[in-house]
Amino acid sequence: MAGRIVDARVVVTCPGRNFVTLRLETEDGITGLGDATLNGRELAVAAYLTEHVVPTLIGRDSARIEDTWQYLYRGAYWRRGPVTMSAIAAVDTALWDIKGKTAGLPVYQLLGGRSRDGVTVYGHANGETVEDVLGEVARYVDLGYRAVRVQAGIPGLTTTYGVGRDRLFYEPADAAIPSEATWSTERYLAHVPTVLARVRQEFGPELRLLHDAHHRLTPIEAARLGRALEPFALTWLEDPVPAELQEGFRLIRQHTTTPLAVGEVFNTVWDCHRLITEQLIDYVRTTVVHAGGITHLRRILDLAALHQVRSGSHGATDLSPVCMAAALHVDLAVPNFGLQEYMRHTEATDAVFPHSYRFADGQLHPGDEPGLGVDLDEELAARYPYRPASLPVNRLEDGTMHDW
Ligand code: EZ4
Ligand code: CO
């Protein structure tokens, strides 16, 4: 028995980028970790945890994961939202870590055991020119990846989402006050199909290809893009439209057979229940950290399984190794796993969060350590103080604010 929670600490560290981590400790000396990182809004979640959650955790039975989730969700009255749900996620993830360590089992065993041998991941190939992109795809193939997301610079635009300065470690949060990018849907729609055509032509039919439109199109524009990409057989077109409007996907669906993925900004099942039950999407990209932890992500994926929607959890670098480990345990266990995004963390981040998950042959394996298999080196973390960094904003060429 792990017993009651006697300590709860929020650790903010910036080994290259900001991470917020909750560490819980029980009376038996068992510790659990949960990721609470919300890119560009880190201190809001840290304050939510410190001011409103941590005081309610001390003395609580660490074994009662579901009850604690319900307490934090129903008990807040102000439900949902990325700040609240990331805070709940951190507590939930840390409690699963503790339960695993208490049982002497990796978390995936607590979730029903493995449903597959490993977790197939996709990497991010990106470059300014088509030639750069082809070189980057080749690099991922050489590294063993079986699935690659393809993002390219758009002629006429100075910066484009997904195209970074550092190829392996893409980080869009680049300034304390948001930097401003310029967007043109016309330029984008004219160019992107030519890039995917070249990549498919060079690499043949077996490599799985993906593309992220990053919430910038209207439904009919997305329908047109989906149709234009059909010959290149994408595994998915991601975030075609801003997804507050779940009904918007009906229009896209009427026009294209390109599979659709969405959900990295969703916080609860209520953001995607219609998308799932009406089969308007193929992959739901909700994550452990932003969608209420392992407990709530599994609830979303169970609903998705009933409707033949598969998982495709967000795995960008702004989700810490604690979230990545938790995602891998879920991915290994659920029947309807699809694909896991995997952007490598920097060496500094990996040193602050030593972890047992490993990449081999295009797959990640969470390892068999009890719990999540991730630690936090607090001494090292303390050497990297918080640095304000925001995600950019987007304007059309005439200055109109647009979705980033
Ligand atoms: O822009 O995680 O699919 N991945 C993505 C990411 C998001 C960042 C935002 O913090 O869309 O690159
Ligand atoms: Co995305």
Side-chain angles (χ1 to χ4, degrees), residues 11-21 37 42 169 171 317-321 344-354 375-387:
V11 177
V12 181
T13 180
C14 186
R17 58 148 307 99
N18 294 313
F19 294 109
V20 180
T21 311
T37 309
E42 292 87 358
F169 310 111
E171 175 49 64
T317 42
D318 48 291
L319 283 50
S320 89
R344 284 158 194 263
H345 287 108
T346 60
E347 276 172 31
T349 297
D350 284 340
V352 169
F353 295 96
D375 211 342
L376 170 63
D377 183 336
E378 286 196 49
E379 255 174 56
L380 191 56
R383 281 193 237 153
Y384 299 107
Y386 168 77
R387 281 203 316 255

Short mmCIF file of all heavy atoms in Angstrom, two decimals, residues 11-21 37 42 169 171 317-321 344-354 375-387:
data_model
loop_
_atom_site.label_atom_id
_atom_site.label_comp_id
_atom_site.label_asym_id
_atom_site.label_seq_id
_atom_site.Cartn_x
_atom_site.Cartn_y
_atom_site.Cartn_z
N VAL A 11 7.34 21.58 -9.94
CA VAL A 11 8.69 21.92 -10.38
C VAL A 11 8.63 22.53 -11.77
O VAL A 11 8.11 21.90 -12.70
CB VAL A 11 9.60 20.67 -10.39
CG1 VAL A 11 10.99 21.01 -10.92
CG2 VAL A 11 9.66 20.04 -9.01
N VAL A 12 9.11 23.76 -11.91
CA VAL A 12 9.16 24.42 -13.22
C VAL A 12 10.63 24.48 -13.64
O VAL A 12 11.48 24.96 -12.89
CB VAL A 12 8.56 25.84 -13.15
CG1 VAL A 12 8.61 26.49 -14.54
CG2 VAL A 12 7.13 25.80 -12.63
N THR A 13 10.92 23.99 -14.82
CA THR A 13 12.30 23.96 -15.29
C THR A 13 12.34 24.23 -16.79
O THR A 13 11.36 23.98 -17.49
CB THR A 13 12.96 22.59 -14.96
OG1 THR A 13 14.31 22.59 -15.44
CG2 THR A 13 12.22 21.44 -15.62
N CYS A 14 13.48 24.74 -17.25
CA CYS A 14 13.59 25.12 -18.66
C CYS A 14 14.88 24.60 -19.30
O CYS A 14 15.77 25.37 -19.66
CB CYS A 14 13.51 26.64 -18.79
SG CYS A 14 13.47 27.22 -20.50
N PRO A 15 15.01 23.28 -19.42
CA PRO A 15 16.20 22.74 -20.10
C PRO A 15 16.04 22.85 -21.62
O PRO A 15 15.84 21.85 -22.32
CB PRO A 15 16.21 21.28 -19.63
CG PRO A 15 14.77 20.95 -19.36
CD PRO A 15 14.08 22.24 -18.98
N GLY A 16 16.06 24.09 -22.11
CA GLY A 16 15.84 24.33 -23.55
C GLY A 16 14.44 24.83 -23.82
O GLY A 16 14.21 25.67 -24.68
N ARG A 17 13.48 24.33 -23.09
CA ARG A 17 12.10 24.84 -23.15
C ARG A 17 11.46 24.59 -21.78
O ARG A 17 12.00 23.82 -20.98
CB ARG A 17 11.31 24.15 -24.27
CG ARG A 17 11.21 22.65 -24.17
CD ARG A 17 9.91 22.15 -24.74
NE ARG A 17 8.82 22.86 -24.12
CZ ARG A 17 8.18 23.90 -24.66
NH1 ARG A 17 8.46 24.29 -25.86
NH2 ARG A 17 7.24 24.54 -24.00
N ASN A 18 10.33 25.23 -21.52
CA ASN A 18 9.73 25.14 -20.19
C ASN A 18 8.93 23.85 -19.99
O ASN A 18 8.19 23.44 -20.89
CB ASN A 18 8.79 26.33 -19.96
CG ASN A 18 9.54 27.65 -19.90
OD1 ASN A 18 10.55 27.76 -19.21
ND2 ASN A 18 9.05 28.63 -20.63
N PHE A 19 9.07 23.28 -18.80
CA PHE A 19 8.23 22.14 -18.40
C PHE A 19 7.73 22.36 -16.98
O PHE A 19 8.47 22.86 -16.14
CB PHE A 19 9.03 20.84 -18.43
CG PHE A 19 9.47 20.41 -19.80
CD1 PHE A 19 10.80 20.47 -20.16
CD2 PHE A 19 8.54 19.97 -20.73
CE1 PHE A 19 11.20 20.09 -21.43
CE2 PHE A 19 8.94 19.59 -22.00
CZ PHE A 19 10.27 19.66 -22.36
N VAL A 20 6.48 21.96 -16.75
CA VAL A 20 5.90 22.00 -15.41
C VAL A 20 5.62 20.55 -15.00
O VAL A 20 4.97 19.81 -15.73
CB VAL A 20 4.60 22.82 -15.38
CG1 VAL A 20 3.99 22.84 -13.99
CG2 VAL A 20 4.85 24.24 -15.89
N THR A 21 6.15 20.16 -13.85
CA THR A 21 6.00 18.77 -13.40
C THR A 21 5.47 18.75 -11.97
O THR A 21 5.93 19.54 -11.13
CB THR A 21 7.36 18.04 -13.43
OG1 THR A 21 7.97 18.28 -14.70
CG2 THR A 21 7.19 16.55 -13.21
N THR A 37 2.58 20.58 -18.38
CA THR A 37 3.09 21.63 -19.26
C THR A 37 2.05 22.07 -20.28
O THR A 37 1.50 21.24 -21.01
CB THR A 37 4.34 21.13 -20.01
OG1 THR A 37 5.27 20.59 -19.06
CG2 THR A 37 4.99 22.27 -20.79
N GLU A 42 2.61 28.17 -19.07
CA GLU A 42 3.10 27.24 -18.05
C GLU A 42 2.76 27.70 -16.62
O GLU A 42 2.34 26.91 -15.78
CB GLU A 42 4.63 27.09 -18.16
CG GLU A 42 5.10 26.37 -19.42
CD GLU A 42 5.29 27.32 -20.60
OE1 GLU A 42 5.02 28.53 -20.45
OE2 GLU A 42 5.71 26.84 -21.66
N PHE A 169 14.66 19.22 -33.41
CA PHE A 169 14.03 19.73 -32.19
C PHE A 169 13.19 20.95 -32.50
O PHE A 169 13.57 22.08 -32.17
CB PHE A 169 15.10 20.07 -31.14
CG PHE A 169 16.09 18.96 -30.92
CD1 PHE A 169 17.40 19.10 -31.31
CD2 PHE A 169 15.70 17.78 -30.33
CE1 PHE A 169 18.32 18.09 -31.11
CE2 PHE A 169 16.61 16.75 -30.12
CZ PHE A 169 17.92 16.90 -30.52
N GLU A 171 10.67 23.83 -32.14
CA GLU A 171 10.04 24.54 -31.03
C GLU A 171 9.45 25.85 -31.51
O GLU A 171 10.19 26.79 -31.80
CB GLU A 171 11.07 24.80 -29.92
CG GLU A 171 10.52 25.64 -28.80
CD GLU A 171 9.18 25.13 -28.29
OE1 GLU A 171 9.12 24.03 -27.77
OE2 GLU A 171 8.15 25.85 -28.45
N THR A 317 7.49 18.37 -28.62
CA THR A 317 8.51 18.54 -27.58
C THR A 317 8.01 19.33 -26.38
O THR A 317 8.63 19.31 -25.33
CB THR A 317 9.75 19.28 -28.13
OG1 THR A 317 9.31 20.35 -28.96
CG2 THR A 317 10.64 18.35 -28.91
N ASP A 318 6.88 20.03 -26.54
CA ASP A 318 6.38 20.78 -25.38
C ASP A 318 5.57 19.90 -24.44
O ASP A 318 5.04 20.38 -23.45
CB ASP A 318 5.57 22.01 -25.83
CG ASP A 318 4.54 21.71 -26.90
OD1 ASP A 318 4.92 21.41 -28.03
OD2 ASP A 318 3.34 21.77 -26.58
N LEU A 319 5.48 18.61 -24.74
CA LEU A 319 4.96 17.64 -23.79
C LEU A 319 6.19 16.95 -23.20
O LEU A 319 7.05 16.49 -23.95
CB LEU A 319 4.07 16.62 -24.51
CG LEU A 319 2.65 17.08 -24.88
CD1 LEU A 319 2.63 18.40 -25.62
CD2 LEU A 319 1.99 16.03 -25.76
N SER A 320 6.29 16.89 -21.88
CA SER A 320 7.55 16.44 -21.28
C SER A 320 7.71 14.93 -21.42
O SER A 320 6.77 14.21 -21.76
CB SER A 320 7.61 16.83 -19.80
OG SER A 320 7.04 15.82 -18.99
N PRO A 321 8.91 14.41 -21.14
CA PRO A 321 9.10 12.95 -21.16
C PRO A 321 8.15 12.22 -20.21
O PRO A 321 7.86 11.04 -20.43
CB PRO A 321 10.57 12.79 -20.73
CG PRO A 321 11.24 14.04 -21.22
CD PRO A 321 10.21 15.13 -20.98
N ARG A 344 11.70 14.31 -30.92
CA ARG A 344 12.74 14.08 -29.92
C ARG A 344 12.95 15.28 -29.02
O ARG A 344 12.90 16.41 -29.47
CB ARG A 344 14.06 13.77 -30.63
CG ARG A 344 14.09 12.38 -31.18
CD ARG A 344 15.09 12.24 -32.30
NE ARG A 344 14.83 10.98 -32.99
CZ ARG A 344 15.48 9.86 -32.75
NH1 ARG A 344 16.48 9.83 -31.88
NH2 ARG A 344 15.17 8.75 -33.37
N HIS A 345 13.19 14.99 -27.74
CA HIS A 345 13.58 16.06 -26.82
C HIS A 345 15.09 16.30 -26.93
O HIS A 345 15.83 15.44 -27.39
CB HIS A 345 13.22 15.67 -25.38
CG HIS A 345 11.75 15.71 -25.09
ND1 HIS A 345 10.99 14.58 -24.93
CD2 HIS A 345 10.90 16.76 -24.97
CE1 HIS A 345 9.73 14.93 -24.69
NE2 HIS A 345 9.65 16.24 -24.72
N THR A 346 15.52 17.47 -26.48
CA THR A 346 16.95 17.76 -26.49
C THR A 346 17.66 16.89 -25.44
O THR A 346 17.02 16.36 -24.52
CB THR A 346 17.22 19.23 -26.15
OG1 THR A 346 16.69 19.48 -24.84
CG2 THR A 346 16.57 20.16 -27.17
N GLU A 347 18.98 16.81 -25.57
CA GLU A 347 19.76 16.04 -24.58
C GLU A 347 19.59 16.63 -23.18
O GLU A 347 19.52 15.88 -22.20
CB GLU A 347 21.23 16.04 -24.97
CG GLU A 347 21.54 14.95 -25.98
CD GLU A 347 22.96 15.05 -26.52
OE1 GLU A 347 23.85 15.52 -25.78
OE2 GLU A 347 23.15 14.67 -27.68
N ALA A 348 19.51 17.96 -23.10
CA ALA A 348 19.34 18.60 -21.78
C ALA A 348 18.02 18.15 -21.15
O ALA A 348 17.97 17.84 -19.95
CB ALA A 348 19.38 20.11 -21.93
N THR A 349 16.96 18.08 -21.95
CA THR A 349 15.67 17.64 -21.41
C THR A 349 15.73 16.19 -20.97
O THR A 349 15.26 15.83 -19.89
CB THR A 349 14.57 17.83 -22.48
OG1 THR A 349 14.45 19.22 -22.78
CG2 THR A 349 13.23 17.30 -21.99
N ASP A 350 16.33 15.35 -21.80
CA ASP A 350 16.44 13.93 -21.44
C ASP A 350 17.26 13.74 -20.16
O ASP A 350 17.00 12.82 -19.38
CB ASP A 350 17.05 13.13 -22.59
CG ASP A 350 16.04 12.89 -23.72
OD1 ASP A 350 14.82 12.98 -23.46
OD2 ASP A 350 16.47 12.61 -24.86
N ALA A 351 18.25 14.62 -19.94
CA ALA A 351 19.07 14.50 -18.72
C ALA A 351 18.26 14.89 -17.48
O ALA A 351 18.40 14.28 -16.42
CB ALA A 351 20.32 15.37 -18.84
N VAL A 352 17.39 15.89 -17.62
CA VAL A 352 16.55 16.32 -16.48
C VAL A 352 15.49 15.26 -16.18
O VAL A 352 15.11 15.06 -15.03
CB VAL A 352 15.91 17.69 -16.76
CG1 VAL A 352 14.84 18.03 -15.74
CG2 VAL A 352 16.98 18.78 -16.79
N PHE A 353 15.02 14.58 -17.23
CA PHE A 353 13.99 13.54 -17.07
C PHE A 353 14.54 12.18 -17.54
O PHE A 353 14.17 11.71 -18.63
CB PHE A 353 12.76 13.88 -17.92
CG PHE A 353 12.03 15.13 -17.52
CD1 PHE A 353 12.29 16.34 -18.15
CD2 PHE A 353 11.06 15.10 -16.52
CE1 PHE A 353 11.61 17.50 -17.80
CE2 PHE A 353 10.37 16.25 -16.16
CZ PHE A 353 10.64 17.45 -16.80
N PRO A 354 15.39 11.53 -16.76
CA PRO A 354 15.89 10.21 -17.19
C PRO A 354 14.71 9.26 -17.34
O PRO A 354 13.78 9.27 -16.52
CB PRO A 354 16.77 9.76 -16.02
CG PRO A 354 16.97 10.96 -15.15
CD PRO A 354 15.82 11.89 -15.41
N ASP A 375 11.98 9.61 -14.32
CA ASP A 375 12.37 10.29 -13.09
C ASP A 375 12.57 11.78 -13.38
O ASP A 375 12.57 12.18 -14.54
CB ASP A 375 13.67 9.66 -12.56
CG ASP A 375 13.73 9.74 -11.04
OD1 ASP A 375 12.97 10.54 -10.45
OD2 ASP A 375 14.53 9.00 -10.45
N LEU A 376 12.72 12.56 -12.33
CA LEU A 376 13.01 13.99 -12.47
C LEU A 376 14.22 14.29 -11.60
O LEU A 376 14.17 14.08 -10.39
CB LEU A 376 11.80 14.81 -12.02
CG LEU A 376 12.00 16.31 -11.86
CD1 LEU A 376 12.35 16.97 -13.20
CD2 LEU A 376 10.74 16.96 -11.28
N ASP A 377 15.30 14.74 -12.24
CA ASP A 377 16.51 15.13 -11.50
C ASP A 377 16.32 16.57 -11.04
O ASP A 377 16.56 17.50 -11.80
CB ASP A 377 17.73 14.97 -12.41
CG ASP A 377 19.03 15.29 -11.70
OD1 ASP A 377 19.00 16.04 -10.70
OD2 ASP A 377 20.08 14.79 -12.15
N GLU A 378 15.86 16.73 -9.81
CA GLU A 378 15.47 18.08 -9.35
C GLU A 378 16.66 19.02 -9.21
O GLU A 378 16.53 20.22 -9.43
CB GLU A 378 14.69 18.00 -8.03
CG GLU A 378 13.28 17.50 -8.25
CD GLU A 378 12.35 17.76 -7.07
OE1 GLU A 378 12.31 18.91 -6.59
OE2 GLU A 378 11.70 16.81 -6.63
N GLU A 379 17.82 18.47 -8.86
CA GLU A 379 19.01 19.33 -8.76
C GLU A 379 19.38 19.91 -10.12
O GLU A 379 19.66 21.09 -10.26
CB GLU A 379 20.20 18.51 -8.24
CG GLU A 379 20.53 18.80 -6.80
CD GLU A 379 21.62 17.87 -6.31
OE1 GLU A 379 22.70 17.84 -6.94
OE2 GLU A 379 21.37 17.17 -5.31
N LEU A 380 19.35 19.04 -11.11
CA LEU A 380 19.66 19.48 -12.47
C LEU A 380 18.57 20.44 -12.96
O LEU A 380 18.86 21.48 -13.57
CB LEU A 380 19.77 18.25 -13.39
CG LEU A 380 20.34 18.47 -14.78
CD1 LEU A 380 21.71 19.12 -14.74
CD2 LEU A 380 20.41 17.12 -15.52
N ALA A 381 17.32 20.11 -12.68
CA ALA A 381 16.19 20.96 -13.10
C ALA A 381 16.36 22.38 -12.56
O ALA A 381 16.06 23.36 -13.24
CB ALA A 381 14.88 20.35 -12.62
N ALA A 382 16.84 22.48 -11.33
CA ALA A 382 16.99 23.80 -10.69
C ALA A 382 18.01 24.68 -11.40
O ALA A 382 18.02 25.90 -11.24
CB ALA A 382 17.37 23.61 -9.22
N ARG A 383 18.88 24.05 -12.18
CA ARG A 383 19.89 24.84 -12.92
C ARG A 383 19.31 25.49 -14.17
O ARG A 383 19.99 26.25 -14.84
CB ARG A 383 21.06 23.94 -13.31
CG ARG A 383 22.00 23.70 -12.15
CD ARG A 383 23.29 23.07 -12.66
NE ARG A 383 23.52 21.82 -11.98
CZ ARG A 383 24.21 20.80 -12.46
NH1 ARG A 383 24.71 20.88 -13.69
NH2 ARG A 383 24.38 19.72 -11.75
N TYR A 384 18.06 25.15 -14.51
CA TYR A 384 17.43 25.72 -15.72
C TYR A 384 16.18 26.50 -15.33
O TYR A 384 15.08 25.96 -15.36
CB TYR A 384 17.04 24.60 -16.68
CG TYR A 384 18.17 23.75 -17.19
CD1 TYR A 384 18.35 22.44 -16.72
CD2 TYR A 384 19.05 24.22 -18.16
CE1 TYR A 384 19.37 21.65 -17.20
CE2 TYR A 384 20.07 23.43 -18.65
CZ TYR A 384 20.23 22.14 -18.16
OH TYR A 384 21.23 21.34 -18.65
N PRO A 385 16.34 27.77 -14.93
CA PRO A 385 15.16 28.54 -14.49
C PRO A 385 14.19 28.84 -15.63
O PRO A 385 14.58 28.91 -16.80
CB PRO A 385 15.76 29.83 -13.92
CG PRO A 385 17.12 29.93 -14.51
CD PRO A 385 17.58 28.55 -14.85
N TYR A 386 12.94 29.04 -15.28
CA TYR A 386 11.86 29.37 -16.22
C TYR A 386 12.23 30.57 -17.09
O TYR A 386 12.77 31.56 -16.62
CB TYR A 386 10.60 29.69 -15.41
CG TYR A 386 9.49 30.32 -16.22
CD1 TYR A 386 8.71 29.55 -17.07
CD2 TYR A 386 9.23 31.70 -16.14
CE1 TYR A 386 7.69 30.13 -17.82
CE2 TYR A 386 8.22 32.28 -16.89
CZ TYR A 386 7.46 31.49 -17.73
OH TYR A 386 6.47 32.06 -18.48
N ARG A 387 11.92 30.46 -18.38
CA ARG A 387 12.09 31.59 -19.31
C ARG A 387 10.78 31.81 -20.04
O ARG A 387 10.25 30.86 -20.65
CB ARG A 387 13.15 31.25 -20.38
CG ARG A 387 14.57 31.37 -19.91
CD ARG A 387 15.52 31.59 -21.10
NE ARG A 387 15.24 30.73 -22.23
CZ ARG A 387 15.97 29.67 -22.58
NH1 ARG A 387 17.01 29.33 -21.86
NH2 ARG A 387 15.66 28.97 -23.64
#
